[in-house]
Amino acid sequence: MVYDGELFHMLYRAQGEDMVSRIGYAVSTDGIHFNKFEKPVFSPKSDDELYGVEDPRITKIGDEYYMVYTAYSPRGVRIAMASTKNFITWKRYGVVIPDIDNKDAALFPEKINGKYVMFHRIPPDMWLAFSDDLVHWDNFVKIASPRQGMWDDLKIGVGAPPIKTEYGWLVLYHGVQNTGTSRPIYRLGFMLLDLEDPTKVIKRSKEPILEPEEDWEKFGGVPNVVFSDAMIEYNGYYYVYYGAADNCIALATIPVEKVMKWCRE
Amino acid sequence: MVYDGELFHMLYRAQGEDMVSRIGYAVSTDGIHFNKFEKPVFSPKSDDELYGVEDPRITKIGDEYYMVYTAYSPRGVRIAMASTKNFITWKRYGVVIPDIDNKDAALFPEKINGKYVMFHRIPPDMWLAFSDDLVHWDNFVKIASPRQGMWDDLKIGVGAPPIKTEYGWLVLYHGVQNTGTSRPIYRLGFMLLDLEDPTKVIKRSKEPILEPEEDWEKFGGVPNVVFSDAMIEYNGYYYVYYGAADNCIALATIPVEKVMKWCRE
């Protein structure tokens, strides 16, 4: 999801009867009512995507929309990238981080100290990678790990491209808690990173900002999950779009001022 | 329909269970396979559109797409206009030619002798109108009439915004033939207008270029009708998009060179 000042552009994963994930497009003028295309706009094209393409995160850089996504194949999941200006025709870069089992990627909207920056996830931790050209990524740095005894004690991953604030980079992330059963709980929280050096974590939510409460968040294809790919600033609120129980897309909002207060504290 | 060099943008009329016509959007990279939005992108908003909005014809002027369409209400049908850059958000001009029973409009893609030019139809003839600002239209000039004993002997109307060629403005139009029954036949033909003075008709198709032949063109909501709103030049062909029997949208192509030969003859 990205908001261009006039339209909300949503990319979302959907699965057909063949169980292959593809990416659909929906557009909105208010962030709430969407008009969907009947057919996907981005589908698997390579052996790295035999099981599908998932988790699209969009970042506008210059006049191009960059989508990082999960390429899923018998080899495992990996981070891939494509770009577009119109959400219909795409330039494909393929897998940009070759590590297996790496996903949960998101691009920063601007260069920092002359480098492009991307979140990625080497389980169970959140990492950054750096690049000169958006295609070749190196200098992997681990920035955050699960916290024992807390809501994010099993694994964590970025939930949306970061938003620049006066206090730092505001990052939505998901935390998974080990419940001692085969059903961990996915929740959402905030992380604040240093503007100049985003490998420095300034603070993290002690409690989650969103957790499964509704029936449609608790029961479904993957139960007890709220999992986000996008957060938009709009009309004084952050709009958090998230997948609920792997079945539907939902929206939660939180006043920007409330989050800024947390940043300041 | 309009082709921007990368995408085919289709606006089409569809009717819901309430029998009100609305305008949908579909996009394509090849002009043949389209991806449709599930909901309309342009719906009635005023008393002039109580029965619906129909017959969208798109012309790109500057960086804006202008749609002229039929506003249908208990008062009758009239020509209305709206413009957009993204096919989602619209600027509405409302009815631009107040005459009742006037429809079949299409805008020229550029000013001619300092004026914007629009086709319209005061039954049974084809007319032009001129404007300084695209909103106020006057100086109505009748340019063509039905031809007795021919395929267009009952009424005629423009079928697509004109395409500029070295020989003149190439105009697709529909002709209606009186069959002596309550079921006239709608066919398509070409008209060539003078580049400098489009009120001068250089020539017209003696025979139609397209007529109902297939079952789905002969039988349907309005039988025996091929009725076009768009013609695009693409890869050496003219792509003619037309409604068949008021039920479906079809595509017919004709080589540009074949049409140019007719223009030269």
Side-chain angles (χ1 to χ4, degrees), chain A residues 110-131:
Chain A
E110 59 186 69
K111 282 186 177 179
I112 301 171
N113 300 319
K115 299 274 187 182
Y116 294 107
V117 189
M118 176 165 64
F119 285 98
H120 58 122
R121 201 274 305 272
I122 303 176
D125 308 306
M126 277 170 68
W127 294 64
L128 292 182
F130 297 82
S131 173

Side-chain angles (χ1 to χ4, degrees), chain A residues 1-247:
Chain A
M1 177 85 70
V2 69
Y3 176 62
D4 69 6
E6 185 170 20
L7 298 177
F8 291 79
H9 304 279
M10 179 192 279
L11 293 175
Y12 64 97
R13 165 206 171 203
Q15 221 169 18
E17 284 182 4
D18 58 8
M19 302 302 285
V20 173
S21 292
R22 297 176 180 83
I23 290 172
Y25 173 82
V27 68
S28 173
T29 54
D30 62 8
I32 296 172
H33 303 89
F34 282 84
N35 202 349
K36 285 179 356 188
F37 274 129
E38 290 182 343
K39 297 180 226 170
V41 296
F42 191 89
S43 297
K45 276 255 171 96
S46 76
D47 281 356
D48 293 324
E49 302 170 348
L50 285 178
Y51 291 160
V53 289
E54 304 184 350
D55 307 324
R57 271 92 180 247
I58 319 168
T59 301
K60 190 170 188 182
I61 300 177
D63 63 347
E64 194 94 8
Y65 296 103
Y66 287 85
M67 171 178 72
V68 285
Y69 62 97
T70 302
Y72 184 23
S73 79
R75 289 173 223 167
V77 297
R78 299 196 286 181
I79 294 167
M81 190 175 78
S83 68
T84 187
K85 288 183 177 169
N86 55 28
F87 299 99
I88 305 295
T89 52
W90 295 87
K91 181 175 178 186
R92 286 171 180 262
Y93 302 87
V95 168
V96 290
I97 292 190
D99 304 44
I100 294 296
D101 226 22
N102 195 331
K103 56 187 289 192
D104 294 333
L107 290 166
F108 282 68
E110 59 186 69
K111 282 186 177 179
I112 301 171
N113 300 319
K115 299 274 187 182
Y116 294 107
V117 189
M118 176 165 64
F119 285 98
H120 58 122
R121 201 274 305 272
I122 303 176
D125 308 306
M126 277 170 68
W127 294 64
L128 292 182
F130 297 82
S131 173
D132 291 320
D133 59 6
L134 285 166
V135 177
H136 302 90
W137 295 88
D138 53 23
N139 191 21
F140 292 6
V141 183
K142 190 202 296 190
I143 65 159
S145 297
R147 295 174 296 186
Q148 219 176 355
M150 295 186 72
W151 62 275
D152 51 3
D153 70 357
L154 188 60
K155 54 184 178 176
I156 58 175
V158 75
I163 292 176
K164 197 176 194 175
T165 75
E166 59 181 304
Y167 305 105
W169 291 104
L170 180 67
V171 179
L172 183 72
Y173 78 103
H174 63 261
V176 189
Q177 186 173 22
N178 188 351
T179 57
T181 73
S182 60
R183 295 290 180 211
I185 303 180
Y186 281 69
R187 299 184 181 91
L188 296 174
F190 284 128
M191 197 176 276
L192 191 65
L193 307 184
D194 187 85
L195 281 181
E196 294 301 314
D197 178 6
T199 65
K200 287 189 192 157
V201 178
I202 300 171
K203 65 189 302 184
R204 276 165 74 171
S205 297
K206 288 201 181 90
E207 301 296 331
I209 61 156
L210 193 79
E211 64 181 345
E213 289 178 5
E214 307 287 342
D215 276 356
W216 43 269
E217 295 166 333
K218 288 182 171 174
F219 305 98
V222 184
N224 282 325
V225 171
V226 295
F227 183 95
S228 181
D229 285 332
M231 180 170 68
I232 303 292
E233 185 176 345
Y234 180 65
N235 271 355
Y237 287 82
Y238 290 119
Y239 278 46
V240 173
Y241 295 89
Y242 64 98
D246 215 36
N247 273 1

Side-chain angles (χ1 to χ4, degrees), chain B residues 126-142:
Chain B
M126 277 169 70
W127 293 64
L128 292 182
F130 297 84
S131 174
D132 291 320
D133 58 6
L134 284 167
V135 177
H136 303 90
W137 295 89
D138 51 25
N139 192 19
F140 292 5
V141 183
K142 190 201 296 189

